[in-house]
Amino acid sequence: MASILKQTYSQRAANHTNPAAKALLETIARKRSNLCVSVDVTKKADFLRIIDVVGPYICLVKTHVDVIEDFDYSLVEQLQELSVKHDFQIFEDRKFADIGNTVALQYSSGVYKIAQWSHITNAHPVPGPSIITGLSSVGLPLGRGLLLLAEMSTKGSLAVGSYTEEAVRMARANRDFVIGFIAQRRMDGIGLRDGESSAGEDFLVLTPGVGLDVKGDGMGQQYRTPREVVLESGCDVIIVGRGIYGKDNGANPDAVRAQAERYRAEGWKAYQERIGSSA
Ligand code: S5P
């Protein structure tokens, strides 16, 4: 079996049993897109317009649903309709970080009921393994998947060294629900104890901090190119926000479409170069 870095997304889909991981890999292969758009805008109309424009070019939409000022539950229904129309998965970037009981409530209940509609969500490993126990009690029966934040894209991030290693160990112990990481590179081999091997392990790596035109945002964000992320660091999905919808909340749909096409093409080219095939 070729190393994960050389396998196609569809070959990898066959090795996954978690429904969210499998569906994401299949969507990537079907649409020839490893691009996730992060839609961090505060008005429903902007949010839906951007997603309708970028829909054809993406595998995944990442949301911060709590920043939307005019939120009501019809937004979720419209997002779900767009996900069917354009064939993409949904990832609410909630970054859970509390005790198991609390995160289970935050995931299942409240205004947003995230587990009802988000195929994938994420959590900080800082509370330890009980955060996975809490979230999986809600998400696993619904076929959802969890990403652990093993690293961050920001300058001075504390998620390094032994923290990252422990995050990977927590994932290894919960492979039914933890489908991968938010990280800046592949995590294969990280945190292995004596006698352990990561052979056969295939965690997905979704990577934010991706931009083609600027290196940062003046607030700690650090950008790398799709080529650096996918080819040089072996990550699987590029997450791009402002690089696609710009400074004006995506007011110009043609400009948003052009950027989505550009990032999709760059991400896919880097993947083809990685696997050594234009398939
Ligand atoms: O380490 C991280 C983890 C995440 S999920 N760095 C990040 O930037 N993110 C998220 O990715 C962040 O919350 C934002 O929604 C997105 C990056 O947006 P951009 O506009 O800087 O591309």
Side-chain angles (χ1 to χ4, degrees), residues 38 40 62 64 93 95 149 152-153 182 208 221 223 240-242:
S38 172
D40 302 336
K62 185 174 84 57
H64 281 300
D93 181 5
K95 296 191 181 73
L149 284 123
M152 290 198 71
S153 61
I182 297 290
Q221 178 67 297
Y223 293 115
V240 185
R242 289 163 287 178

Side-chain angles (χ1 to χ4, degrees), residues 220-271:
Q221 178 67 297
Q222 305 178 109
Y223 293 115
R224 295 184 299 158
T225 64
R227 188 183 165 84
E228 288 172 295
V229 166
V230 175
L231 179 64
E232 294 172 19
S233 301
C235 306
D236 298 313
V237 172
I238 54 171
I239 299 176
V240 185
R242 289 163 287 178
I244 288 181
Y245 62 77
K247 294 194 175 97
D248 56 359
N249 299 325
N252 177 349
D254 289 338
V256 174
R257 186 178 301 107
Q259 290 302 335
E261 282 190 276
R262 178 180 179 223
Y263 278 95
R264 189 212 68 84
E266 289 290 324
W268 199 253
K269 196 171 74 186
Y271 157 72

Side-chain angles (χ1 to χ4, degrees), residues 10-256:
S10 36
Q11 283 169 334
R12 292 170 60 187
N15 294 328
H16 281 264
T17 50
N18 177 285
K22 209 181 204 21
L24 179 60
L25 285 163
E26 286 169 351
T27 306
I28 294 171
R30 196 163 52 236
K31 294 186 73 179
R32 298 169 68 82
S33 172
N34 53 20
L35 172 62
C36 167
V37 68
S38 172
V39 195
D40 302 336
V41 295
T42 57
K43 297 282 188 301
K44 255 189 343 187
D46 292 337
F47 179 83
L48 293 169
R49 187 187 62 253
I50 293 168
I51 294 173
D52 203 17
V53 168
V54 302
Y57 310 102
I58 59 173
C59 57
L60 185 68
V61 161
K62 185 174 84 57
T63 58
H64 281 300
V65 74
D66 59 346
V67 306
I68 298 179
E69 289 167 359
D70 50 353
F71 177 88
D72 62 62
Y73 212 76
S74 75
L75 183 69
V76 167
E77 285 150 16
Q78 292 173 81
L79 175 61
Q80 287 175 316
E81 280 166 23
L82 287 172
S83 92
V84 173
K85 175 178 171 190
H86 293 299
D87 183 20
F88 60 75
Q89 303 287 297
I90 302 171
F91 164 22
E92 164 60 21
D93 181 5
R94 176 62 180 76
K95 296 191 181 73
F96 293 101
D98 212 322
I99 65 166
N101 184 61
T102 301
V103 296
L105 292 170
Q106 290 171 325
Y107 189 25
S108 63
S109 307
V111 175
Y112 302 117
K113 305 188 198 334
I114 294 163
Q116 289 305 314
W117 50 270
S118 186
H119 305 104
I120 295 171
T121 192
N122 56 356
H124 285 295
V126 67
S130 55
I131 193 165
I132 303 176
T133 315
L135 292 169
S136 68
S137 73
V138 174
L140 204 53
L142 296 168
R144 304 309 187 202
L146 182 71
L147 302 167
L148 289 179
L149 284 123
E151 295 179 325
M152 290 198 71
S153 61
T154 37
K155 202 161 188 271
S157 164
L158 304 182
V160 295
S162 60
Y163 183 92
T164 301
E165 288 174 20
E166 285 302 331
V168 180
R169 290 187 188 126
M170 277 169 57
R172 280 197 189 110
N174 293 278
R175 283 170 61 172
D176 50 350
F177 189 52
V178 180
I179 62 173
F181 304 102
I182 297 290
Q184 296 293 306
R185 61 198 159 114
R186 282 210 78 72
M187 294 283 115
D188 305 350
I190 305 272
L192 289 174
R193 294 201 172 86
D194 283 352
E196 284 181 350
S197 146
S198 56
E201 178 177 295
D202 182 10
F203 288 113
L204 305 180
V205 180
L206 281 66
T207 303
V210 177
L212 283 162
D213 302 318
V214 287
K215 289 277 152 227
D217 68 352
M219 292 177 82
Q221 178 67 297
Q222 305 178 109
Y223 293 115
R224 295 184 299 158
T225 64
R227 188 183 165 84
E228 288 172 295
V229 166
V230 175
L231 179 64
E232 294 172 19
S233 301
C235 306
D236 298 313
V237 172
I238 54 171
I239 299 176
V240 185
R242 289 163 287 178
I244 288 181
Y245 62 77
K247 294 194 175 97
D248 56 359
N249 299 325
N252 177 349
D254 289 338
V256 174

